[in-house]
Amino acid sequence: MATSTHPDDRLYTSDHEWVKIEDDTARVGITEFAQEQLGDIVYIELPDEGASLSAGEPFGEVESVKSVSELFMPGDGVVVEVNTALEETPDLINSDPYGEGWIARIKFSDLALDELLDTPAYCELCEA
Amino acid sequence: MSRLDYRSITDEQRAVQLNAIGVASCNELIADIPSEIRLHEALAIEGGMDEIALVCHVGELAAENKQLVCFAGGGCYDHHIPAFIDHIVRRPEFFTAYTPYQPEASQGTLQAIYEYQTAMCRLTAMAVSNASMYDGATALAEAALMAVRHARGKRPVVVAAETLNPQYLEVLTTYAQSGLMQTHVASIEKMCAIGTDSADGVVDSDTVAAILIGYPNYYGIYENVAKVVESAHAIGALAIVCANPLLLALGESPGVLGADIVCGEAQCFGSPMSFGGPGLGYLCATERLMRLMPGRIVGRTCDADGADGFVLTLATREQHIRREKATSNICSNHALNALAAGAYLTFHGADGLAAVAQRCVEGARSLYERLIATDSFAPFNISSVDTDEASVRSYEFAVRYTGPGSLAELYDTLVVQGILPGIVVADDVLLVAVTERRNAAELDRFVEGVNRYAASAR
Amino acid sequence: MPLPPGKSEIEVMRHYQYLASRNFGLDTGMYPLGSCTMKYNPRVNEDLCRLEGFTALHPAQPIATAQGALRLMYELAADLAEITGFAATTLAPAAGAHGEYTALMMFRAALEARGDARQTVIIPDTAHGTNPATVALCGYKTITVASNENGTIDLDALREVLDTDVAALMLTNPNTLGLFEPDIGKITAMAHDVGAFAYCDGANLNALMGITRIAEAGFDALHINLHKTFAAPHGGGGPGAGPVCVTSELAPYLPTPVVALREENYVFETPAHTIGRVRSWYGNFSVLVRAYAYLKALGAEGLREVSEQAIISANYVRTQLRDAFDMPYDRPCMHEFVLSGTRQKKESGVRTLDIAKRLLDYGFHPPTVYFPLIVDECMMIEPTETEPLKTLDAFIEAMRAIATEASSNPAMLHAAPQTLPVRRLDETAAARDVVVADLPATNPS
């Protein structure tokens, strides 16, 4: 398991999503561990830009050939931008989950940072 | 002869098996079944026939049914099935196979279904067809649920034309009892008025997920589908067209008219009437609705060597993967009927299909005119129907009995004469279908039977 | 874009001959798909359902002219009720999932009639996917209850989720591990104690005929897959038929119409509190004819022999494979059992999918794989009573040989199948660039 590759410039959720704070918004995506578990990703259902969602609410779905994984909001917020490149090339999530495979940019109104995991804590979760 | 037994294992072999398992009898293997619910007496099932007795017995049951010259339709039609179709359907490679989950061993089924999907897409002018539904009624109910899903719970209402097949409306009502959708049955006039000032409080246009209309309707009449599609889209709803697919060979495709979902009954393509089942539900949609579709879908791909091949695809919609979030619970479908339909459509092609449909419509037109000419029947008009043409364009029509006596009595009289005149849809209204199988002599018998009855009842 | 021009009859026949040559049917070889009951499809039944007295019957013709058809339906419904111990049967449902739907909607109606609308349905984690999908289609929410280490219902876990908001408990019995719930009477009583119904998914009825009548275990309803237990063909995916049997309490809620016998005449009737129609007309009649013929051939004794042989053959294959593969529930099974490919995956990276594909090279259809979900690298094997001993032995030999190949030549297993019309297909490409019909490129609407 390539757990050592989880970058330490961001935080993680126990649902295997990452959150990277960039000024007043945050980018979210799924982790290396999640993409490996899912396998070849064939489709992603992206949220609507401008959608206002609360913590724990599903904001999209990632599909491989034989499984589906829901994406859950790590906090309350508004979807500012979605990665439309994923519509045509969802496999960007497989090849570069922490870079070009980002899923959405969200302006959080309430994000409980202390409930998110730092890199060592997330690595531990993956190894468990 | 001894009774039929499809097992292969002899008593001696069974002893070998039990010995290998390490038990003395089957009883030791079923210890988990509590003794209080074990069956100690034999089931009260009559049977144990040999093949001679079985063929004789079931043959007697078949013979107790009377074969009538069929002028009945209502979604199930007495079309000719080219003889070769059943030879294809009876190939054990097809009919004894399971669902093609192992694509390497199922290229035959998969390609046949893919070809069926292609033909249905072309007939309806839609982008996607699924691999089949149970029948036209459940296809329509699933189409309605699909529209509600598309509206993401914000629009729970489907407005159904009152002129749809009444059985389909009943099934729609049953499916709405779950609370997943609300059905509202309305006239075409009112359907077109939703969202306008003249709406007359029918239904709040913001709550409507879809409008459902027949093409043609239950009475064989082509209502103004283009206008209904337009009104549906004007209020942000989907347009679901329930079409007789054979007649699409003659008329404008629903896709061209702007339909979002096209569905219905395709028993007409190579499946026998068989007392109403199995039929063939079909369901087609636009590309943007593809991932909301129920049921299996076959897709094209290639194998490890790059050779062309087919697989079941978009499986994440389905129950075996998405479970409670699946687009439907459908698993078994009517694949073998779809395979027959694919062969039927491949054989006929565009021109052949149009010729079949044309012959049906001409027969219906002729019988309609002759029945009106008897003076015992008059045209049947539904006041609210908005139709652009008066003449018979389908191969099914409704007529009102205006002769002496009663329609019920006329109907019984004709049945005694070996003619099934149609379906009595109201005390004095008869719904008549004429397929390409009905010849001139049979039409003569029908009309003469009407005249004779009218003369005797007068 | 219109249909292409038609083809001559010989062109069509050759095309379908070609397609048939690329399909594996039950006549091709053993088809041990667990919970699918791929037993032989008797040919006489194929002839009988095609008698013109059946195929040329219009469903709207007067019932006085269709007494043979109604009698067949009446007797079939009664026989199915006798086999399962229930009071009444509907033959309307077109498939197993449609039967589940019909039964749950009857529960819903019966509960609403009591003024006791409820919200949830409990299913075990071994359930077939149609169960939770049906629950959703009926407007209920699914509660999943975990199985215990024996692979059966954990009574404590069940007790924890059972409350007065539960409309029903849905169980497959024997379950998808091939195990009969030993506490079944207790389980259904627990459901009844909170006012919930108990539903049996009858996919595995082939293990029970003449051995136990499942209604006596306390179930309120059950569907039967005629295309499994009663030898109607699977048709490459359908059509099947999914009759539902119910208790007398639920009989008034059956979908309309049902066949009744009134003064020597068979008639269609509408039950007093019917849930309405669940389909057009009456049922998948030609499938009903096949099942009826199967029943009349076998009779009571034959049915019991079927279930006993199905159980013996499953246990025979199970005991012969127990050394070659992991056996997560190593005890007597009913008509099917599960294996796990965990050992092979760990030792040589060969997965159950590879084993399945390799079986095709040996001339066998693979078992059901990766189901039930609670068993890692699962293979679910149901030999059925119709397979000859020689074939069972050849299957056992093939499975053992593959287990050996998994360590000696894993690459070959990864590359399987090699002898079929196509090699392994790219399902990822099919799902990424979806092509579901041969159509000219258009702008998506």
Side-chain angles (χ1 to χ4, degrees), chain B residues 185-229:
Chain B
V185 178
S187 68
I188 296 294
E189 208 174 11
K190 287 193 170 159
M191 283 167 72
C192 290
I194 295 170
T196 67
D197 293 341
S198 55
D200 200 16
V202 183
V203 59
D204 178 359
S205 63
D206 290 342
T207 64
V208 178
I211 287 183
L212 284 51
I213 183 173
Y215 186 68
N217 70 17
Y218 184 61
Y219 307 97
I221 296 167
Y222 283 87
E223 299 176 86
N224 197 332
V225 169
K227 197 164 145 195
V228 170
V229 169

Side-chain angles (χ1 to χ4, degrees), chain C residues 68-97:
Chain C
L70 268 77
R71 181 178 153 199
L72 185 148
M73 292 172 73
Y74 181 82
E75 289 185 4
L76 176 61
D79 284 351
L80 295 176
E82 165 67 15
I83 291 166
T84 56
F86 285 98
T89 306
T90 170
L91 301 173

Side-chain angles (χ1 to χ4, degrees), chain A residues 43 45 48 61 63-68 70, chain B residues 101 152 291 314-317 320-322 325:
Chain A
Y43 179 72
E45 195 178 296
D48 294 334
E61 283 180 345
E63 292 186 17
S64 62
V65 174
K66 283 177 182 164
S67 65
V68 187
E70 279 193 314
Chain B
Y101 287 132
R152 298 182 185 207
R291 287 171 194 276
L314 298 168
T316 47
R317 299 166 299 112
H320 61 287
I321 294 180
R322 202 174 290 220
K325 287 184 179 156

Side-chain angles (χ1 to χ4, degrees), chain B residues 32 81 87 89 99 103 114 127 139 169 211 221-222 268 292 305 311 327-328 330 343 353 377 391 403 415 435 439 452:
Chain B
D32 281 343
I81 302 171
H87 288 268
V89 168
T99 302
Y114 181 86
L169 289 175
I211 287 183
I221 296 167
Y222 283 87
C268 53
L292 297 171
D305 293 337
V311 292
T327 55
S328 167
I330 190 169
L353 199 66
F377 284 101
S391 71
V415 167
T435 67
N439 58 37
R452 252 199 325 266

Side-chain angles (χ1 to χ4, degrees), chain A residues 52-111:
Chain A
S52 175
L53 299 160
S54 45
E57 222 180 311
F59 71 95
E61 283 180 345
V62 188
E63 292 186 17
S64 62
V65 174
K66 283 177 182 164
S67 65
V68 187
S69 187
E70 279 193 314
L71 301 166
F72 296 102
M73 284 291 278
D76 300 350
V78 175
V79 179
V80 182
E81 189 188 354
V82 295
N83 185 0
T84 50
L86 297 177
E87 286 168 2
E88 287 302 310
T89 42
D91 42 321
L92 286 174
I93 296 177
N94 291 120
S95 56
D96 190 9
Y98 294 118
E100 285 187 63
W102 66 277
I103 291 168
R105 208 154 58 78
I106 294 167
K107 189 171 170 65
F108 286 106
S109 51
D110 185 12
L111 181 64

Side-chain angles (χ1 to χ4, degrees), chain C residues 304-336:
Chain C
R304 190 186 166 100
E305 286 173 359
V306 160
S307 288
E308 288 185 347
Q309 186 59 53
I311 293 168
I312 294 170
S313 287
N315 278 286
Y316 176 71
V317 177
R318 179 182 63 83
T319 50
Q320 304 310 300
L321 290 179
R322 131 194 307 151
D323 296 334
F325 294 90
D326 286 345
M327 189 87 50
Y329 303 96
D330 191 11
R331 62 189 179 104
C333 63
M334 296 295 285
H335 67 306
E336 67 185 4

